[in-house]
Amino acid sequence: MTRARGLAAALAAALLLAGCAQSVDPIERLGKKAAEGVRPHGPAPDRNYRHWGLTEPLPRPPRPAARPLGLTPDGTAHHLPRVLDHVPTRDPVVFLTYDDGAERDPRFVDMVRELRLPVSMFLTDSVVGPGYGHFARLHGLGAGIENHTLDHRALAGQPYAGQRAEICGQQDRLASRLGVRPRLFRPPYGAYDATTLRAAARCGISAVVLWRAAMTPADLVFSRGDHHLAPGDIVLVGPDESTGPNLRERTAGVLRGAQRRGLTVGRLEDYL
Ligand SMILES: [Zn+2]
């Protein structure tokens, strides 16, 4: 090859590289990822899975189909909220949900960050108390912040005004503390009635989220159906207890159970 041809080839290669570099511009990619709701920060998840008790990395969940919003422009729901204990999807995903907000382990924040774990936190104001900073950090990592009432009272059988105060009050509290106005609500103890649904709709709630699987200190337990995780399962990772495995260990237990069934973790807010 002559020197000139060599130079031309090198130049062409450089241009090609420049072209490639342009199409995968890191800033552009970050912007795209942010727009897709994927956190651009943090190390790749497959570098850290062993550290969190997994034997293989968690696959990234598929992109879910578009979902209907079901809200009017003023933020109230068109209809009564849907009530779900699982999401009707064939995507190989389960959903991790956490209640109350009593456990505020900074290492759990590390776990969510390092595994890029989509989680949904259903918060009760009187339980979170002064601990909203912890949930602000989780929210900054992409965690969904959802409503679990102001005071964790059993709502079923209560008058409309009281139920509405519990739900709408927590909407306002979460808006002022974390800048979010949830669409998802979980009634304390999973107990609700027709009045709860009317009150929740008035507060801008589009779905009442129950669970089919719960991670107890011992193992996963299922409220109905097959006694193993299945696509679309909503998992309550709890209950919050001072004894038994901590939140990280219970979460890892759910993740291992999901992996045994060929499932990964999806973002509940992408599906509802
Ligand atoms: Zn609760």
Side-chain angles (χ1 to χ4, degrees):
M1 196 187 281
T2 67
R3 198 188 144 107
R5 280 180 67 189
L7 196 64
L11 197 64
L15 284 171
L16 203 63
L17 277 176
C20 287
Q22 206 163 30
S23 67
V24 292
D25 175 75
I27 302 300
E28 189 191 356
R29 282 177 61 201
L30 285 180
K32 274 184 187 160
K33 283 189 174 179
E36 289 166 4
V38 175
R39 292 179 303 285
H41 305 296
D46 54 345
R47 282 186 212 150
N48 296 296
Y49 62 93
R50 284 182 202 284
H51 177 67
W52 299 106
L54 304 181
T55 54
E56 55 187 294
L58 272 180
R60 300 297 287 273
R63 290 281 296 153
R67 58 181 166 72
L69 276 174
L71 294 181
T72 60
D74 70 353
T76 56
H78 283 302
H79 309 288
L80 290 182
R82 289 185 291 165
V83 181
L84 310 105
D85 66 0
H86 79 290
V87 173
T89 179
R90 290 183 184 170
D91 289 352
V93 292
V94 298
F95 305 98
L96 301 184
T97 66
Y98 299 79
D99 282 7
D100 307 338
E103 288 193 41
R104 294 189 288 275
D105 177 1
R107 298 276 290 139
F108 180 69
V109 181
D110 295 338
M111 184 184 203
V112 166
R113 180 192 301 111
E114 292 187 14
L115 292 175
R116 299 190 187 188
L117 210 52
V119 294
S120 301
M121 318 302 295
F122 290 80
L123 300 183
T124 290
D125 183 65
S126 63
V127 178
V128 175
Y132 275 103
H134 172 81
F135 297 100
R137 281 187 282 282
L138 282 170
H139 185 49
L141 294 172
I145 300 295
E146 309 300 351
N147 188 326
H148 196 46
T149 72
L150 279 177
D151 288 324
H152 211 271
R153 300 209 178 102
L155 297 180
Q158 299 294 318
Y160 175 83
Q163 295 205 35
R164 187 181 150 188
E166 278 285 326
I167 304 168
C168 285
Q170 181 63 343
Q171 294 287 88
D172 294 342
R173 195 61 55 91
L174 290 170
S176 71
R177 294 298 181 94
L178 298 173
V180 296
R181 196 163 275 281
R183 292 179 296 101
L184 310 184
F185 170 65
R186 174 170 285 162
Y189 318 104
Y192 69 97
D193 61 12
T195 305
T196 312
L197 301 185
R198 283 198 297 124
R202 187 65 192 83
C203 304
I205 297 295
S206 60
V208 169
V209 178
L210 305 177
W211 60 93
R212 192 181 82 84
M215 189 65 183
T216 69
D219 202 357
L220 279 168
V221 295
F222 296 86
S223 55
R224 62 176 182 81
D226 292 338
H227 281 222
H228 59 73
L229 288 175
D233 269 341
I234 298 169
V235 184
L236 167 59
V237 188
D240 290 342
E241 289 182 0
S242 53
T243 59
N246 64 39
L247 206 57
R248 282 170 278 130
E249 288 160 353
R250 277 180 273 140
T251 300
V254 177
L255 297 179
R256 287 191 293 267
Q259 288 187 318
R260 279 195 292 274
R261 308 295 308 186
L263 303 166
T264 189
V265 180
R267 187 180 304 283
L268 185 61
E269 289 77 7
D270 288 346
Y271 284 81
L272 297 181

PDB file of all heavy atoms in Angstrom, residues 88-110:
ATOM      1  N   PRO A  88     -51.739  -7.808  34.508  1.00  0.00           N
ATOM      2  CA  PRO A  88     -51.958  -8.697  33.364  1.00  0.00           C
ATOM      3  C   PRO A  88     -50.939  -8.454  32.257  1.00  0.00           C
ATOM      4  O   PRO A  88     -51.111  -7.568  31.429  1.00  0.00           O
ATOM      5  CB  PRO A  88     -53.383  -8.342  32.908  1.00  0.00           C
ATOM      6  CG  PRO A  88     -53.634  -6.975  33.428  1.00  0.00           C
ATOM      7  CD  PRO A  88     -52.761  -6.778  34.636  1.00  0.00           C
ATOM      8  N   THR A  89     -49.849  -9.183  32.299  1.00  0.00           N
ATOM      9  CA  THR A  89     -48.811  -9.064  31.274  1.00  0.00           C
ATOM     10  C   THR A  89     -48.164 -10.429  31.073  1.00  0.00           C
ATOM     11  O   THR A  89     -48.145 -11.250  31.996  1.00  0.00           O
ATOM     12  CB  THR A  89     -47.719  -8.047  31.670  1.00  0.00           C
ATOM     13  OG1 THR A  89     -46.724  -8.001  30.636  1.00  0.00           O
ATOM     14  CG2 THR A  89     -47.015  -8.432  32.968  1.00  0.00           C
ATOM     15  N   ARG A  90     -47.651 -10.640  29.861  1.00  0.00           N
ATOM     16  CA  ARG A  90     -46.864 -11.853  29.610  1.00  0.00           C
ATOM     17  C   ARG A  90     -45.375 -11.563  29.705  1.00  0.00           C
ATOM     18  O   ARG A  90     -44.560 -12.473  29.536  1.00  0.00           O
ATOM     19  CB  ARG A  90     -47.190 -12.415  28.231  1.00  0.00           C
ATOM     20  CG  ARG A  90     -48.581 -13.007  28.179  1.00  0.00           C
ATOM     21  CD  ARG A  90     -48.850 -13.620  26.819  1.00  0.00           C
ATOM     22  NE  ARG A  90     -50.219 -14.116  26.742  1.00  0.00           N
ATOM     23  CZ  ARG A  90     -50.789 -14.532  25.630  1.00  0.00           C
ATOM     24  NH1 ARG A  90     -50.102 -14.519  24.499  1.00  0.00           N
ATOM     25  NH2 ARG A  90     -52.026 -14.965  25.637  1.00  0.00           N
ATOM     26  N   ASP A  91     -45.032 -10.303  29.913  1.00  0.00           N
ATOM     27  CA  ASP A  91     -43.613  -9.981  30.076  1.00  0.00           C
ATOM     28  C   ASP A  91     -43.062 -10.768  31.272  1.00  0.00           C
ATOM     29  O   ASP A  91     -43.746 -10.913  32.286  1.00  0.00           O
ATOM     30  CB  ASP A  91     -43.422  -8.478  30.332  1.00  0.00           C
ATOM     31  CG  ASP A  91     -43.711  -7.643  29.096  1.00  0.00           C
ATOM     32  OD1 ASP A  91     -43.903  -8.232  28.019  1.00  0.00           O
ATOM     33  OD2 ASP A  91     -43.774  -6.410  29.221  1.00  0.00           O
ATOM     34  N   PRO A  92     -41.834 -11.236  31.164  1.00  0.00           N
ATOM     35  CA  PRO A  92     -41.257 -12.052  32.253  1.00  0.00           C
ATOM     36  C   PRO A  92     -40.779 -11.186  33.418  1.00  0.00           C
ATOM     37  O   PRO A  92     -39.593 -11.141  33.730  1.00  0.00           O
ATOM     38  CB  PRO A  92     -40.100 -12.773  31.572  1.00  0.00           C
ATOM     39  CG  PRO A  92     -39.668 -11.822  30.500  1.00  0.00           C
ATOM     40  CD  PRO A  92     -40.912 -11.118  30.014  1.00  0.00           C
ATOM     41  N   VAL A  93     -41.720 -10.485  34.047  1.00  0.00           N
ATOM     42  CA  VAL A  93     -41.350  -9.554  35.125  1.00  0.00           C
ATOM     43  C   VAL A  93     -42.242  -9.760  36.343  1.00  0.00           C
ATOM     44  O   VAL A  93     -43.401 -10.162  36.224  1.00  0.00           O
ATOM     45  CB  VAL A  93     -41.484  -8.077  34.675  1.00  0.00           C
ATOM     46  CG1 VAL A  93     -40.437  -7.742  33.626  1.00  0.00           C
ATOM     47  CG2 VAL A  93     -42.884  -7.783  34.141  1.00  0.00           C
ATOM     48  N   VAL A  94     -41.671  -9.491  37.511  1.00  0.00           N
ATOM     49  CA  VAL A  94     -42.450  -9.328  38.733  1.00  0.00           C
ATOM     50  C   VAL A  94     -42.167  -7.923  39.251  1.00  0.00           C
ATOM     51  O   VAL A  94     -41.263  -7.239  38.742  1.00  0.00           O
ATOM     52  CB  VAL A  94     -42.077 -10.385  39.803  1.00  0.00           C
ATOM     53  CG1 VAL A  94     -42.387 -11.784  39.302  1.00  0.00           C
ATOM     54  CG2 VAL A  94     -40.619 -10.270  40.219  1.00  0.00           C
ATOM     55  N   PHE A  95     -42.944  -7.487  40.224  1.00  0.00           N
ATOM     56  CA  PHE A  95     -42.845  -6.117  40.711  1.00  0.00           C
ATOM     57  C   PHE A  95     -42.587  -6.120  42.210  1.00  0.00           C
ATOM     58  O   PHE A  95     -43.267  -6.834  42.953  1.00  0.00           O
ATOM     59  CB  PHE A  95     -44.125  -5.348  40.382  1.00  0.00           C
ATOM     60  CG  PHE A  95     -44.457  -5.384  38.921  1.00  0.00           C
ATOM     61  CD1 PHE A  95     -45.390  -6.294  38.428  1.00  0.00           C
ATOM     62  CD2 PHE A  95     -43.805  -4.549  38.023  1.00  0.00           C
ATOM     63  CE1 PHE A  95     -45.668  -6.361  37.070  1.00  0.00           C
ATOM     64  CE2 PHE A  95     -44.077  -4.612  36.663  1.00  0.00           C
ATOM     65  CZ  PHE A  95     -45.011  -5.512  36.178  1.00  0.00           C
ATOM     66  N   LEU A  96     -41.607  -5.339  42.638  1.00  0.00           N
ATOM     67  CA  LEU A  96     -41.233  -5.282  44.054  1.00  0.00           C
ATOM     68  C   LEU A  96     -41.902  -4.074  44.707  1.00  0.00           C
ATOM     69  O   LEU A  96     -41.684  -2.934  44.281  1.00  0.00           O
ATOM     70  CB  LEU A  96     -39.718  -5.159  44.206  1.00  0.00           C
ATOM     71  CG  LEU A  96     -38.864  -6.274  43.607  1.00  0.00           C
ATOM     72  CD1 LEU A  96     -37.394  -6.041  43.943  1.00  0.00           C
ATOM     73  CD2 LEU A  96     -39.318  -7.637  44.114  1.00  0.00           C
ATOM     74  N   THR A  97     -42.702  -4.343  45.734  1.00  0.00           N
ATOM     75  CA  THR A  97     -43.371  -3.253  46.442  1.00  0.00           C
ATOM     76  C   THR A  97     -43.054  -3.347  47.929  1.00  0.00           C
ATOM     77  O   THR A  97     -42.887  -4.435  48.481  1.00  0.00           O
ATOM     78  CB  THR A  97     -44.896  -3.304  46.231  1.00  0.00           C
ATOM     79  OG1 THR A  97     -45.440  -4.484  46.856  1.00  0.00           O
ATOM     80  CG2 THR A  97     -45.248  -3.331  44.751  1.00  0.00           C
ATOM     81  N   TYR A  98     -42.930  -2.183  48.560  1.00  0.00           N
ATOM     82  CA  TYR A  98     -42.542  -2.076  49.973  1.00  0.00           C
ATOM     83  C   TYR A  98     -43.535  -1.151  50.664  1.00  0.00           C
ATOM     84  O   TYR A  98     -43.913  -0.121  50.101  1.00  0.00           O
ATOM     85  CB  TYR A  98     -41.135  -1.490  50.083  1.00  0.00           C
ATOM     86  CG  TYR A  98     -40.086  -2.346  49.408  1.00  0.00           C
ATOM     87  CD1 TYR A  98     -39.919  -2.296  48.016  1.00  0.00           C
ATOM     88  CD2 TYR A  98     -39.282  -3.208  50.133  1.00  0.00           C
ATOM     89  CE1 TYR A  98     -38.969  -3.084  47.383  1.00  0.00           C
ATOM     90  CE2 TYR A  98     -38.325  -3.997  49.507  1.00  0.00           C
ATOM     91  CZ  TYR A  98     -38.177  -3.935  48.136  1.00  0.00           C
ATOM     92  OH  TYR A  98     -37.240  -4.719  47.506  1.00  0.00           O
ATOM     93  N   ASP A  99     -43.908  -1.510  51.872  1.00  0.00           N
ATOM     94  CA  ASP A  99     -44.950  -0.746  52.568  1.00  0.00           C
ATOM     95  C   ASP A  99     -44.415   0.017  53.769  1.00  0.00           C
ATOM     96  O   ASP A  99     -43.419  -0.384  54.373  1.00  0.00           O
ATOM     97  CB  ASP A  99     -46.044  -1.694  53.065  1.00  0.00           C
ATOM     98  CG  ASP A  99     -46.978  -2.119  51.944  1.00  0.00           C
ATOM     99  OD1 ASP A  99     -46.700  -1.793  50.778  1.00  0.00           O
ATOM    100  OD2 ASP A  99     -47.978  -2.786  52.254  1.00  0.00           O
ATOM    101  N   ASP A 100     -45.153   1.046  54.116  1.00  0.00           N
ATOM    102  CA  ASP A 100     -45.048   1.780  55.377  1.00  0.00           C
ATOM    103  C   ASP A 100     -43.877   2.758  55.409  1.00  0.00           C
ATOM    104  O   ASP A 100     -44.062   3.927  55.685  1.00  0.00           O
ATOM    105  CB  ASP A 100     -44.952   0.844  56.600  1.00  0.00           C
ATOM    106  CG  ASP A 100     -46.089  -0.179  56.631  1.00  0.00           C
ATOM    107  OD1 ASP A 100     -47.129   0.086  56.008  1.00  0.00           O
ATOM    108  OD2 ASP A 100     -45.904  -1.237  57.240  1.00  0.00           O
ATOM    109  N   GLY A 101     -42.664   2.258  55.167  1.00  0.00           N
ATOM    110  CA  GLY A 101     -41.509   3.154  55.209  1.00  0.00           C
ATOM    111  C   GLY A 101     -40.777   3.151  56.532  1.00  0.00           C
ATOM    112  O   GLY A 101     -40.047   4.093  56.853  1.00  0.00           O
ATOM    113  N   ALA A 102     -40.960   2.093  57.326  1.00  0.00           N
ATOM    114  CA  ALA A 102     -40.283   2.031  58.627  1.00  0.00           C
ATOM    115  C   ALA A 102     -38.797   1.736  58.472  1.00  0.00           C
ATOM    116  O   ALA A 102     -37.972   2.298  59.193  1.00  0.00           O
ATOM    117  CB  ALA A 102     -40.943   0.968  59.498  1.00  0.00           C
ATOM    118  N   GLU A 103     -38.449   0.856  57.531  1.00  0.00           N
ATOM    119  CA  GLU A 103     -37.050   0.459  57.375  1.00  0.00           C
ATOM    120  C   GLU A 103     -36.331   1.444  56.467  1.00  0.00           C
ATOM    121  O   GLU A 103     -36.704   1.618  55.318  1.00  0.00           O
ATOM    122  CB  GLU A 103     -36.956  -0.953  56.783  1.00  0.00           C
ATOM    123  CG  GLU A 103     -37.373  -2.011  57.784  1.00  0.00           C
ATOM    124  CD  GLU A 103     -36.973  -3.410  57.321  1.00  0.00           C
ATOM    125  OE1 GLU A 103     -35.858  -3.565  56.784  1.00  0.00           O
ATOM    126  OE2 GLU A 103     -37.782  -4.314  57.496  1.00  0.00           O
ATOM    127  N   ARG A 104     -35.317   2.074  57.008  1.00  0.00           N
ATOM    128  CA  ARG A 104     -34.601   3.090  56.222  1.00  0.00           C
ATOM    129  C   ARG A 104     -33.117   2.760  56.237  1.00  0.00           C
ATOM    130  O   ARG A 104     -32.295   3.502  56.746  1.00  0.00           O
ATOM    131  CB  ARG A 104     -34.887   4.476  56.788  1.00  0.00           C
ATOM    132  CG  ARG A 104     -36.343   4.868  56.618  1.00  0.00           C
ATOM    133  CD  ARG A 104     -36.605   6.302  56.966  1.00  0.00           C
ATOM    134  NE  ARG A 104     -36.527   6.549  58.399  1.00  0.00           N
ATOM    135  CZ  ARG A 104     -37.541   6.368  59.238  1.00  0.00           C
ATOM    136  NH1 ARG A 104     -38.704   5.967  58.794  1.00  0.00           N
ATOM    137  NH2 ARG A 104     -37.394   6.616  60.512  1.00  0.00           N
ATOM    138  N   ASP A 105     -32.780   1.640  55.662  1.00  0.00           N
ATOM    139  CA  ASP A 105     -31.411   1.139  55.654  1.00  0.00           C
ATOM    140  C   ASP A 105     -30.657   1.761  54.475  1.00  0.00           C
ATOM    141  O   ASP A 105     -31.041   1.537  53.322  1.00  0.00           O
ATOM    142  CB  ASP A 105     -31.465  -0.394  55.518  1.00  0.00           C
ATOM    143  CG  ASP A 105     -30.089  -1.020  55.426  1.00  0.00           C
ATOM    144  OD1 ASP A 105     -29.079  -0.287  55.488  1.00  0.00           O
ATOM    145  OD2 ASP A 105     -30.035  -2.260  55.294  1.00  0.00           O
ATOM    146  N   PRO A 106     -29.614   2.536  54.749  1.00  0.00           N
ATOM    147  CA  PRO A 106     -28.870   3.138  53.629  1.00  0.00           C
ATOM    148  C   PRO A 106     -28.292   2.101  52.671  1.00  0.00           C
ATOM    149  O   PRO A 106     -28.102   2.387  51.490  1.00  0.00           O
ATOM    150  CB  PRO A 106     -27.745   3.920  54.316  1.00  0.00           C
ATOM    151  CG  PRO A 106     -28.003   3.880  55.770  1.00  0.00           C
ATOM    152  CD  PRO A 106     -29.060   2.868  56.062  1.00  0.00           C
ATOM    153  N   ARG A 107     -28.001   0.905  53.191  1.00  0.00           N
ATOM    154  CA  ARG A 107     -27.468  -0.145  52.317  1.00  0.00           C
ATOM    155  C   ARG A 107     -28.518  -0.618  51.314  1.00  0.00           C
ATOM    156  O   ARG A 107     -28.189  -1.127  50.243  1.00  0.00           O
ATOM    157  CB  ARG A 107     -26.960  -1.323  53.154  1.00  0.00           C
ATOM    158  CG  ARG A 107     -25.824  -0.942  54.075  1.00  0.00           C
ATOM    159  CD  ARG A 107     -24.492  -0.991  53.347  1.00  0.00           C
ATOM    160  NE  ARG A 107     -24.142  -2.370  53.062  1.00  0.00           N
ATOM    161  CZ  ARG A 107     -23.612  -2.789  51.914  1.00  0.00           C
ATOM    162  NH1 ARG A 107     -23.391  -1.928  50.945  1.00  0.00           N
ATOM    163  NH2 ARG A 107     -23.309  -4.050  51.745  1.00  0.00           N
ATOM    164  N   PHE A 108     -29.791  -0.478  51.677  1.00  0.00           N
ATOM    165  CA  PHE A 108     -30.845  -0.812  50.712  1.00  0.00           C
ATOM    166  C   PHE A 108     -30.793   0.157  49.532  1.00  0.00           C
ATOM    167  O   PHE A 108     -31.008  -0.238  48.388  1.00  0.00           O
ATOM    168  CB  PHE A 108     -32.220  -0.771  51.394  1.00  0.00           C
ATOM    169  CG  PHE A 108     -33.352  -1.110  50.469  1.00  0.00           C
ATOM    170  CD1 PHE A 108     -33.516  -2.400  49.976  1.00  0.00           C
ATOM    171  CD2 PHE A 108     -34.254  -0.132  50.070  1.00  0.00           C
ATOM    172  CE1 PHE A 108     -34.556  -2.710  49.113  1.00  0.00           C
ATOM    173  CE2 PHE A 108     -35.302  -0.436  49.210  1.00  0.00           C
ATOM    174  CZ  PHE A 108     -35.450  -1.726  48.730  1.00  0.00           C
ATOM    175  N   VAL A 109     -30.493   1.414  49.820  1.00  0.00           N
ATOM    176  CA  VAL A 109     -30.328   2.396  48.733  1.00  0.00           C
ATOM    177  C   VAL A 109     -29.189   1.959  47.819  1.00  0.00           C
ATOM    178  O   VAL A 109     -29.296   2.024  46.590  1.00  0.00           O
ATOM    179  CB  VAL A 109     -30.076   3.814  49.301  1.00  0.00           C
ATOM    180  CG1 VAL A 109     -29.919   4.825  48.169  1.00  0.00           C
ATOM    181  CG2 VAL A 109     -31.201   4.230  50.240  1.00  0.00           C
ATOM    182  N   ASP A 110     -28.093   1.476  48.413  1.00  0.00           N
ATOM    183  CA  ASP A 110     -26.963   0.979  47.608  1.00  0.00           C
ATOM    184  C   ASP A 110     -27.409  -0.185  46.721  1.00  0.00           C
ATOM    185  O   ASP A 110     -27.018  -0.281  45.552  1.00  0.00           O
ATOM    186  CB  ASP A 110     -25.825   0.495  48.514  1.00  0.00           C
ATOM    187  CG  ASP A 110     -25.215   1.624  49.331  1.00  0.00           C
ATOM    188  OD1 ASP A 110     -25.362   2.797  48.916  1.00  0.00           O
ATOM    189  OD2 ASP A 110     -24.615   1.332  50.376  1.00  0.00           O
TER     190      ASP A 110
END
